[in-house]
Amino acid sequence: MVFFGRPGGPARTVLALIAVAVLGLFSIVIFNLNRSLESQQRVNASSVGISESFLDVNDQLTAELGELTQLTGTAESALQSIRALGPLLAELHHAITPVAGSLSSTARGAQITNEQLAVIAHILGEVHNVILPLVDSAQAFGQQGEDLLAVIEGLITDLQSAVESAATINQMLPLPG
């Protein structure tokens, strides 16, 4: 190659130096770019890890909220059943009060009619039907709910047994008047 009228010369040396400088600059740029890309890859990998842990926590929270929603529905159902017990228990109180008064009076003797026993037995049946849905609720609330349910079921069983015993005694006694 001929520069400035002679082959080689200072121009060739200058061009070679410029080419080496450009190659050095390219290698520095590529090295910096490679380092930046590696840093970005590490950041992306840690970001993906954090996102996965965030999704795991989110899934766990969603599952717990689903359980809480189900438990809330169970509690609402239990509250509705308990609210329905109020009027039935008042009705049972009104049906048992005359019978209890008659039984506590020793002067007149015990006079319980079959109608009174039938009314009490009917009300106890309704109370039992209202309490049946509480079984699922009690199981959802664990041991405390099951203990309460056992007490209530025992009370209903005792009352039904008392009504049946009173009916049997009533049938064995002569009817008044």
Side-chain angles (χ1 to χ4, degrees):
M1 193 174 213
V2 176
F3 292 104
F4 303 110
R6 2 185 222 152
R12 192 173 207 183
T13 306
V14 170
L15 287 176
L17 288 175
I18 291 173
V20 169
V22 168
L23 284 176
L25 180 64
F26 280 150
S27 65
I28 290 172
V29 167
I30 289 175
F31 176 75
N32 285 336
L33 183 61
N34 188 32
R35 192 172 41 123
S36 296
L37 288 175
E38 286 176 357
S39 297
Q40 186 64 43
Q41 184 180 6
R42 281 190 302 258
V43 168
N44 287 347
S46 67
S47 175
V48 167
I50 291 170
S51 296
E52 287 175 354
S53 65
F54 177 76
L55 287 176
D56 291 342
V57 169
N58 191 29
D59 290 345
Q60 183 181 3
L61 182 62
T62 302
E64 289 175 2
L65 285 175
E67 290 174 14
L68 182 61
T69 301
Q70 184 179 9
L71 190 59
T72 302
T74 302
E76 286 176 357
S77 171
L79 284 175
Q80 289 173 353
S81 295
I82 290 171
R83 281 188 195 111
L85 278 177
L88 290 175
L89 292 177
E91 192 176 334
L92 182 63
H93 175 72
H94 291 300
I96 290 177
T97 301
V99 173
S102 160
L103 290 175
S104 66
S105 168
T106 57
R108 291 186 295 151
Q111 294 181 1
I112 303 172
T113 65
N114 285 334
E115 286 181 18
Q116 289 173 320
L117 291 175
V119 168
I120 292 171
H122 175 72
I123 294 169
L124 287 174
E126 288 182 22
V127 169
H128 186 263
N129 292 339
V130 169
I131 287 179
L132 282 180
L134 291 175
V135 172
D136 294 332
S137 301
Q139 290 172 347
F141 284 105
Q143 187 62 39
Q144 186 179 16
E146 290 175 8
D147 290 345
L148 178 62
L149 185 63
V151 168
I152 292 172
E153 286 179 336
L155 178 64
I156 289 177
T157 302
D158 292 345
L159 287 173
Q160 287 175 335
S161 170
V163 168
E164 290 170 5
S165 298
T168 302
I169 292 170
N170 211 20
Q171 289 174 356
M172 294 180 356
L173 295 175
L175 291 175

